[in-house]
């Protein structure tokens, strides 16, 4: 057994992990107790990393060799690496010769390592001569970048995780930290427990699990953050809570801002934001008068048409009250992806250059050109993410190279994105997983390594650089992303007639060393670091040559990286969301994360156990909105924006406000699909979202779209589910997804049993397929679904009534004296879903139910009840089990929680379920509307 220290590939907390491996197989993972980001803790996603790297998952989902499509829409065929790179060079060089370098684009990822990012940035800007390189970090952190630069002078988060211990007031805004950054939330819980006097304010349109820890909750209307912050500053000025000395000595521009916030009176702010004046006053007082106020924020501020203004307005509050540059105080953006920070460091966006240099600055361009040994770096601004795909849709960009990201799932306005991928003359997808939606549009597929196989570095939210190390060899013919970029670049150099290579890198460390040199004298100077130093322990920047440790927090001296050394207040007038609610589109649609899933779920979606907490796609609505529209729990609804429409089941949730709705960002066309009456393939949640973006950061407004929600009249329904061998289940998912377009609505998800950390059931994966249509599906189609779910054998019981559109298939397998349900299909009448699913998922004895399994409309037999959703994913503890215990336990809330944990173990491992457990303990029972349909 070998152990390898590395870093988790999920969120920007940057947790250290210890990978256990045996030969070529990763066998386990645990938190690294010595890593300063997590001290051994991991969330449910991190704790199950080894399961996503199993041989069964790898063989069914990974791209293991280069593949080429002869024609669009055809199946790809294997090709050698030499052949694949030659094709790529031929196509790209032809486009460059015929149409110029700006006719190509590179779209990369915040999940790449810093070394990968550096190579592709140099490839685009140094060799090809185009600034058309952008990244999915544009969808994640670009507003935070612009906000920092406008106010503080550099893209440098000034605080650190340790500041949580020193904060006296914590302001969490636009972030469901409990779900999006769960290990950081554990530190918030620890800080609150150590200092009960610390006050926590949470501002969010939804009442998320993060709100459970709040002393004050501000349920603001979507997109009104700037008005909230300006209103708080108005009150701070009125009450004399600003720090005039700090403003005079360390800032500029305050007078213009004062004139703007003068009109942001409590009455006006309360009306716009939908909160009370008393709560507004309390928030302003707590923020301004505490000994140290720390703000945590994420996509609620960033993914907005006013994203930069939101970030700047929040930082204005810190500058006005001198809540910066001291322990426990400052604005602290929470990075969404594991290495979005590293990508910013190397300049891997269309408007940046290496080491936080600005593309628009001639001196910065000259510095980078000299470092790279090229005559110049192009000054023409590059296309950012939304602009790049619009340009491809318009025929301006003719060749696209997409690496480690899935724009056919994650980008807004999917109709335009898919038109771009279809119209583009040549699309390269460099990817570890063959199952992403974008792979379907690729002319050339290049297999890349992923977590557990890669070598390099990442930077987390607190500017801490950690090593990523390989524990096992790359599977098949997969290669590291930076090596693919270098191999392509060297061939392209030959084609373009360049004799001296710009890419003389024998290993990842040599790439990083060049990046390190680019930072000399910059705000993120890391010339005092080395691979050996980071190998010994993660390090924070800046860490200049001659220094032994990095800086935990910035601006303690009140000097900022601006021409005059002063921070700048930004005048931030309030602007509403791009699409206001109106009579035709009366709902505000919000998107966000699920607790146990990551991005497009190409990795987490391989584990049925991670679907226990949120089993299937839903749109959440307030119960009153549902009642007014006569929509019941589980009904299918059309959710329609100005750009597209999807069909999805509805779930009642008091977490969302009136006239608001929520769909998780993860539900792309891989899991939620169907075809419209015109034959258009539905493309998941981002068929609805808007491409409108912030004029400064170019980050799209993924957090808000105006939609209408109407009940779908699809009277015929289908539900099919089965346990399948693990080595075949994900292939079955891929086959079933091809059938989703045969229905107006369809979803396909895995499910599991037991806890994510348990060993039971590891040899099997459950698959659930749900669909609906205007009339009964064709028998041949249903037979195909039955065959894929192993419901076509002699041990399958059947019932069919063609006239009434009823069809049932049930497979029972004898196990000693009992028979267990291995799979079923309900076509037409699916009302027995709850109890039959319970029989299947909980492996309950089923031999006694005989004809009830086949009878349409059969009610639940006695003794069989729905298990409820999984609350604790680590140990598989369900809502039902917790409810039964909660009503029996006596004592204070803390005592009852401790007894519950001791009895069921829930909440004793990663802690992700603790906010929900505390809520259930406090209420004395499980939430009545918790289970998705």
């Amino acid at each position: 057994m070998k152990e390898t220290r590395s870093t988790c590939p999920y969120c920007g907390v940057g947790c250290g992990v210890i990978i256990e491996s045996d030969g070529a197989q990763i066998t386990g993972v645990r938190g690294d107790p010595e890593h300063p980001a997590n001290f051994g803790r991991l969330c449910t996603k991190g704790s199950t990393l080894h399961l996503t790297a199993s041989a069964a998952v790898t063989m069914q989902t990974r791209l293991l060799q280069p593949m080429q499509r002869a024609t669009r829409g055809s199946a790809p065929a294997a090709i050698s690496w030499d052949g694949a790179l030659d094709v790529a060079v031929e196509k790209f060089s032809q486009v460059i010769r015929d149409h110029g370098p700006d006719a190509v684009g590179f779209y990369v990822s915040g999940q790449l390592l810093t070394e990968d990012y550096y190579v592709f940035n140099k490839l685009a800007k140094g060799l090809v001569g185009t600034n058309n390189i952008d990244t999915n970090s544009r969808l994640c952190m670009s507003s935070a970048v612009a906000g920092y630069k406008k106010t503080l002078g550099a893209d440098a988060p000034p605080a650190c995780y340790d500041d949580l211990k020193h904060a006296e007031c914590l302001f969490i805004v636009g972030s469901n930290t409990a779900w999006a950054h769960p290990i950081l939330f554990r530190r918030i819980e620890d800080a609150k427990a150590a200092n009960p006097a610390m006050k926590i304010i949470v501002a969010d349109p939804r009442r998320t699990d993060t709100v459970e820890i709040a002393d004050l909750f501000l349920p603001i209307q979507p997109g009104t953050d700037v008005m909230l912050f300006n209103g708080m500053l108005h009150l701070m000025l009125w009450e004399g809570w600003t720090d005039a000395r700090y403003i005079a000595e360390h800032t500029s521009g305050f007078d213009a801002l004062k004139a703007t916030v003068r009109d942001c009176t409590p009455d006006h702010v309360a009306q716009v934001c939908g909160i009370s004046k008393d709560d507004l006053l309390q928030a302003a007082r707590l923020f301004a008068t505490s000994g140290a106020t720390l703000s945590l924020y994420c996509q609620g501020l960033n993914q907005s048409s006013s994203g930069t203004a939101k970030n700047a307005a929040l930082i204005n509050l810190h500058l006005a009250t001198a809540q910066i540059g001291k322990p426990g105080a400052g604005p602290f953006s929470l990075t969404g992806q594991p290495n979005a920070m590293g990508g910013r460091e190397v300049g891997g966006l269309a408007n940046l250059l290496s080491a936080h240099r600005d593309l628009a600055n001639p001196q910065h361009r000259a510095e980078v050109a000299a470092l790279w040994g090229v005559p110049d770096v192009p000054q023409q601004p590059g296309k950012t993410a939304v602009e790049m795909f619009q340009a491809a849709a318009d025929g301006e960009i003719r060749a696209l190279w997409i690496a480690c990201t899935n724009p056919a799932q994650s980008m807004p306005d999917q109709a335009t994105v898919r038109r771009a991928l279809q119209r583009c003359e040549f699309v390269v997808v460099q990817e570890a997983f063959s199952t992403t939606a974008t792979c379907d549009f690729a002319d050339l597929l290049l297999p890349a390594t992923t977590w557990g196989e890669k070598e390099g570095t990442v930077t987390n939210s607190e500017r801490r650089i950690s090593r990523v190390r390989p524990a096992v060899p790359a599977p098949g013919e997969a290669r590291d992303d930076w090596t693919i970029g270098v191999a392509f670049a060297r061939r392209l150099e030959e084609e373009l007639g360049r004799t001296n290579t710009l890419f003389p890198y024998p290993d990842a460390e040599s790439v990083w060393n060049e990046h390190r040199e680019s930072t000399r004298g910059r705000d993120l100077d890391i010339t005092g670091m080395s691979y050996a130093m980071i190998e010994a322990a993660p390090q924070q920047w800046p860490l200049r040559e001659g220094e032994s440790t990095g800086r935990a927090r910035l601006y303690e001296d009140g000097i900022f990286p601006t021409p005059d050394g002063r921070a700048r207040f930004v005048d931030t007038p309030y602007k509403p969301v791009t699409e206001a609610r109106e009579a035709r589109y009366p709902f505000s649609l919000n998107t966000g994360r699920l607790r146990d899933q990551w991005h497009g779920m190409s990795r987490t979606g391989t584990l049925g156990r991670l679907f226990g907490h949120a089993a299937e796609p839903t749109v959440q609505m307030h119960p009153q909105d549902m009642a007014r529209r006569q929509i019941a729990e589980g009904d299918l609804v059309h959710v329609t924006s100005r750009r597209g429409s999807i069909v999805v089941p509805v779930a009642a949730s008091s977490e969302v406000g009136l006239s608001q709705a929520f769909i998780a960002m993860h539900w792309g066309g891989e899991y939620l699909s169907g075809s419209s009456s015109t034959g258009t393939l539905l493309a998941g949640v981002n068929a609805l979202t808007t491409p409108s973006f912030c004029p400064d950061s170019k980050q799209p407004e993924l957090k808000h779209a105006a939609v209408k929600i109407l009940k779908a009249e699809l009277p015929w329904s289908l539900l099919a589910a089965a346990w399948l061998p693990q080595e075949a289940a994900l292939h079955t998912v891929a086959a079933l997804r091809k059938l989703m377009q045969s229905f107006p609505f369809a979803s396909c998800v895995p499910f599991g049993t037991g806890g994510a950390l348990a060993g039971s059931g590891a040899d099997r994966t459950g698959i659930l397929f749900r669909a609906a249509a205007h009339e009964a599906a064709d028998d041949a189609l249903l037979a195909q679904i039955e065959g894929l779910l192993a419901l076509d054998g002699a041990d399958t019981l059947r019932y069919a009534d063609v006239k009434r559109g009823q069809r049932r298939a049930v497979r029972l397998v004898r196990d000693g004296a009992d028979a267990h349900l291995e799979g079923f299909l309900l076509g037409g009448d699916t009302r027995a879903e709850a109890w039959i699913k319970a029989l299947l998922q909980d492996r309950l004895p089923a031999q006694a139910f005989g004809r009830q399994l086949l009878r349409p409309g059969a009610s639940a037999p006695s003794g069989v009840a729905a298990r409820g959703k999984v609350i604790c994913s680590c140990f598989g503890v369900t809502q039902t089990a917790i409810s039964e215990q909660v009503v029996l336990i006596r004592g204070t809330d803390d005592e009852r929680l401790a007894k519950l944990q001791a009895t069921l173990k829930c909440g004793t491992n990663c802690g992700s379920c603790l906010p929900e457990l505390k809520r259930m303990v406090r209420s004395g029972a499980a939430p009545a509307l918790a289970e998705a349909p």
Side-chain angles (χ1 to χ4, degrees):
M1 182 72 68
K2 184 177 86 171
E3 293 190 345
T4 306
R5 278 187 157 84
S6 191
T7 309
C8 179
Y10 291 129
C11 76
V13 174
C15 295
V17 296
I18 297 176
I19 307 171
E20 300 167 2
S21 59
D22 186 359
Q25 184 59 57
I26 292 174
T27 57
V29 67
R30 66 184 191 274
D32 184 349
E34 297 180 8
H35 197 290
N38 60 314
F39 298 107
R41 287 171 163 169
L42 290 179
C43 70
T44 51
K45 297 184 291 291
S47 298
T48 54
L49 271 167
H50 61 296
L51 300 178
T52 68
S54 69
V57 170
T58 297
M59 294 307 297
Q60 293 178 86
T61 65
R62 293 290 300 276
L63 187 63
L64 298 175
Q65 58 187 332
M67 308 284 283
Q68 182 182 14
R69 282 190 172 89
T71 58
R72 289 280 171 89
S74 64
I79 186 175
S80 69
W81 264 110
D82 284 338
L85 292 169
D86 287 344
V87 168
V89 168
E90 177 188 350
K91 296 291 187 180
F92 268 70
S93 60
Q94 178 187 338
V95 168
I96 293 168
R97 281 195 306 270
D98 295 347
H99 306 284
D102 288 334
V104 304
F106 297 85
Y107 187 61
V108 297
S109 168
Q111 294 173 74
L112 289 174
L113 305 188
T114 300
E115 294 78 2
D116 305 325
Y117 250 128
Y118 188 88
V119 165
F120 273 99
N121 191 46
K122 188 177 185 181
L123 165 61
K125 296 168 182 172
L127 176 59
V128 174
T130 181
N131 292 315
N132 287 343
I133 177 168
D134 215 49
T135 164
N136 58 19
S137 297
R138 181 70 61 183
L139 315 181
C140 173
M141 299 305 297
S142 53
S143 293
V145 173
Y148 280 136
K149 292 174 69 174
K150 277 199 163 192
T151 54
L152 308 182
D155 173 22
C160 62
Y161 296 158
D162 201 53
D163 281 319
L164 291 169
K165 295 192 301 187
H166 304 287
E168 296 182 23
C169 175
L170 194 60
F171 188 32
I172 305 175
V173 55
S175 169
N176 184 10
T177 318
W179 284 13
H181 300 91
I183 297 306
L184 190 66
F185 195 71
R186 303 286 83 77
R187 294 177 74 151
I188 294 172
E189 291 170 330
D190 292 345
K192 180 71 170 176
N195 178 21
M198 180 174 70
K199 298 300 181 183
I200 299 179
I201 310 166
V202 176
D204 198 301
R206 287 196 302 143
R207 190 178 188 90
T208 67
D209 270 13
T210 302
V211 177
E212 289 302 305
I213 204 170
D215 297 286
L216 175 64
F217 175 43
L218 304 175
I220 60 174
Q221 286 294 302
T224 60
D225 308 78
V226 168
M227 181 61 78
L228 171 67
F229 303 149
N230 285 354
M232 291 170 66
L233 184 55
H234 175 102
L235 285 169
M236 291 172 187
L237 287 164
W238 182 265
E239 298 289 343
W241 291 334
T242 57
D243 190 319
R245 179 179 176 181
Y246 189 89
I247 292 169
E249 292 180 357
H250 300 291
T251 72
S252 62
F254 193 49
D255 289 342
L257 178 61
K258 278 200 299 186
T260 293
V261 303
R262 186 179 296 123
D263 296 329
C264 299
T265 63
D267 284 327
H268 184 44
V269 173
Q271 181 181 20
V272 171
C273 294
I275 59 175
S276 73
K277 292 188 289 183
D278 288 343
D279 285 349
L280 176 67
L281 177 62
Q282 186 180 0
R285 178 179 58 80
L286 290 173
F287 188 106
T289 64
S290 86
T293 296
L294 182 69
S295 293
L296 303 178
Y297 51 99
C298 198
Q299 305 311 343
L301 298 195
N302 295 341
Q303 291 177 336
S304 169
S305 56
S306 299
T308 303
K310 289 181 179 181
N311 277 265
L314 177 59
I315 296 172
N316 286 341
L317 296 182
H318 283 274
L319 295 174
T321 55
Q323 295 284 10
I324 190 172
K326 61 183 179 180
F332 192 6
S333 58
L334 302 181
T335 312
Q337 296 189 91
N339 200 34
M341 184 81 78
R344 290 142 63 181
E345 291 165 8
V346 303
L349 287 96
N351 59 312
L352 300 179
L353 289 171
S354 295
H356 289 174
R357 291 177 175 88
D358 285 320
L359 182 67
N361 186 319
Q363 181 181 341
H364 287 183
R365 293 199 305 273
E367 290 170 359
V368 172
L371 175 73
W372 285 349
V374 296
D376 55 51
V377 174
Q379 64 179 6
Q380 176 69 26
K383 303 287 188 186
T384 60
V386 171
E387 296 169 325
M388 185 179 295
F389 284 92
Q390 184 64 60
D394 294 340
E396 297 175 27
I397 289 180
R398 296 167 180 263
L400 271 174
W401 192 298
I402 299 167
C404 194
T405 186
N406 187 16
Q409 187 272 341
S410 60
M411 287 284 292
D413 186 12
Q414 278 295 304
T416 298
V417 171
R418 291 169 182 238
R419 186 169 68 250
L421 293 169
Q422 290 164 347
R423 184 171 184 183
C424 200
E425 294 175 13
F426 189 64
V427 177
V428 177
V429 173
Q430 179 175 319
E431 177 59 77
F433 292 90
S434 63
T435 51
T436 70
T438 307
C439 287
D440 293 340
F441 297 89
D443 298 291
L444 189 64
L445 290 155
L446 302 179
T449 54
T450 185
W451 175 85
E453 305 152 9
K454 300 192 71 166
E455 173 92 14
T457 58
V458 292
T459 310
N460 73 357
S461 295
E462 62 170 353
R463 298 173 279 105
R464 190 180 297 278
I465 301 174
S466 296
R467 287 279 279 113
V468 172
R469 302 177 180 90
V472 295
E477 298 180 38
R479 294 184 178 181
D480 290 344
D481 288 282
W482 74 268
T483 66
I484 298 172
V486 166
F488 171 75
R490 288 177 178 171
R491 279 173 164 81
L492 187 60
E493 285 175 324
E494 293 179 11
E495 185 71 20
L496 298 178
R498 184 178 181 88
T499 55
N500 297 323
T501 183
L502 300 177
F503 303 87
Y505 310 121
D507 51 30
E509 183 176 0
S510 62
V511 179
W512 187 85
N513 286 340
E514 184 173 307
H515 158 58
R516 177 184 62 186
E517 183 57 34
S518 77
T519 70
R520 188 176 296 277
R522 303 290 300 164
D523 65 288
L524 71 163
D525 193 324
I526 58 171
T527 51
M529 289 188 201
S530 66
Y531 248 37
M533 182 183 289
I534 307 170
E535 188 79 28
Q539 302 291 330
Q540 286 177 286
W541 60 255
L543 199 162
R544 298 174 178 86
E545 190 170 20
E547 298 174 343
S548 58
T549 58
R551 193 175 303 170
R553 58 187 61 86
L554 307 179
Y555 315 133
E556 292 173 294
D557 57 2
I559 299 174
F560 296 86
T562 58
D564 60 3
R566 292 172 173 263
R568 296 167 294 205
F569 284 99
V570 177
D571 187 8
T572 52
Y574 165 70
K575 294 180 181 179
V577 293
T578 300
E579 292 184 343
R581 292 193 298 250
E582 42 101 349
R584 292 175 301 163
Y585 299 95
F587 286 92
S588 292
L589 176 67
N590 187 6
T591 65
R593 295 194 185 280
L594 296 175
R595 192 189 73 187
D596 298 338
Q597 300 292 354
W598 173 254
H599 281 202
M601 302 194 288
S602 56
R603 183 186 296 278
T604 55
T606 62
L607 300 181
R609 298 175 185 192
L610 292 182
F611 286 79
H613 191 250
E616 298 178 60
T618 62
V619 56
Q620 293 181 0
M621 295 177 65
H622 194 282
Q624 291 182 31
D625 284 325
M626 292 172 60
R628 289 192 193 103
R629 288 158 179 80
Q630 298 184 329
I631 297 172
E633 179 87 2
D635 281 352
L636 292 174
V637 294
H638 295 280
V639 184
T640 305
S641 73
R642 291 173 174 85
R643 289 154 298 280
S645 182
I646 63 174
V647 179
V648 64
V650 68
S653 173
S654 56
E655 292 179 357
V656 298
L658 290 168
S659 300
Q660 297 179 40
F662 175 82
I663 301 177
M665 59 174 278
H666 315 284
W667 300 122
E670 297 96 323
Y671 298 89
L672 171 67
S673 191
S675 59
S676 68
S677 57
T678 62
T680 303
L681 188 64
L682 307 182
V685 61
N686 282 316
L688 309 173
T689 49
T690 174
S692 297
F693 53 68
C694 169
D696 294 304
S697 70
K698 306 294 181 74
Q699 184 161 357
E701 192 158 64
L702 286 164
K703 281 291 181 182
H704 187 271
V707 299
K708 57 185 174 183
I709 302 176
L710 302 173
K711 189 172 181 178
E713 298 300 332
L714 297 170
W716 188 86
S717 59
L718 170 71
L719 177 68
W723 290 109
L724 296 174
Q726 190 182 48
E727 63 271 13
L730 298 176
H731 279 320
T732 300
V733 169
L736 286 169
R737 284 173 181 163
K738 294 178 181 178
L739 303 181
M740 291 167 71
Q741 58 191 297
S742 302
F743 302 91
F745 157 77
S747 66
C748 183
V749 294
F751 62 86
T753 187
L757 303 182
S760 61
D763 59 336
R764 297 186 312 153
T765 297
I767 305 300
L768 185 145
F769 185 87
R770 189 186 296 275
H774 299 284
E775 57 189 21
D778 182 76
D779 281 347
L781 177 58
L782 295 178
Q784 193 174 356
I785 294 170
E786 288 176 351
L788 289 169
L789 294 176
L791 296 173
D792 56 350
D795 56 354
T796 299
L797 306 177
R798 301 183 178 284
Y799 167 83
D801 184 340
V802 177
K803 185 176 181 180
R804 292 179 173 82
Q806 302 296 326
R807 183 182 178 114
R808 291 199 167 202
V810 176
R811 180 174 175 238
L812 294 171
V813 173
R814 180 67 61 180
D815 183 10
D818 294 328
H820 292 107
L821 190 59
E822 287 293 298
F824 68 85
L825 180 144
L826 309 179
D829 187 339
T830 59
R831 287 176 293 171
E833 168 187 340
W835 69 270
I836 292 182
K837 272 178 63 180
L839 285 179
L840 180 74
Q841 287 191 253
D842 295 345
R843 298 281 290 162
L844 300 175
Q847 68 274 10
F849 304 121
R851 293 181 181 179
Q852 286 178 289
L853 293 167
L854 297 176
R855 186 182 304 137
S859 58
S862 60
V864 181
R867 68 205 298 262
K869 75 172 182 178
V870 173
I871 303 298
C872 175
S873 294
C874 292
F875 297 107
V877 186
T878 66
Q879 167 190 324
T880 303
I882 294 169
S883 298
E884 291 171 350
Q885 283 295 320
V886 163
V887 297
L888 301 175
I889 300 173
R890 298 291 178 264
T892 65
D893 285 352
D894 288 343
E895 291 170 344
R896 296 167 75 207
L897 176 63
K899 292 175 183 177
L900 183 67
Q901 290 177 291
T903 303
L904 300 178
K905 296 181 69 176
C906 50
T908 61
N909 184 55
C910 78
S912 295
C913 62
L914 279 173
E916 197 164 359
L917 289 177
K918 291 176 181 177
R919 184 166 62 249
M920 293 172 71
V921 167
R922 192 168 58 249
S923 65
L929 300 171
E931 186 176 9

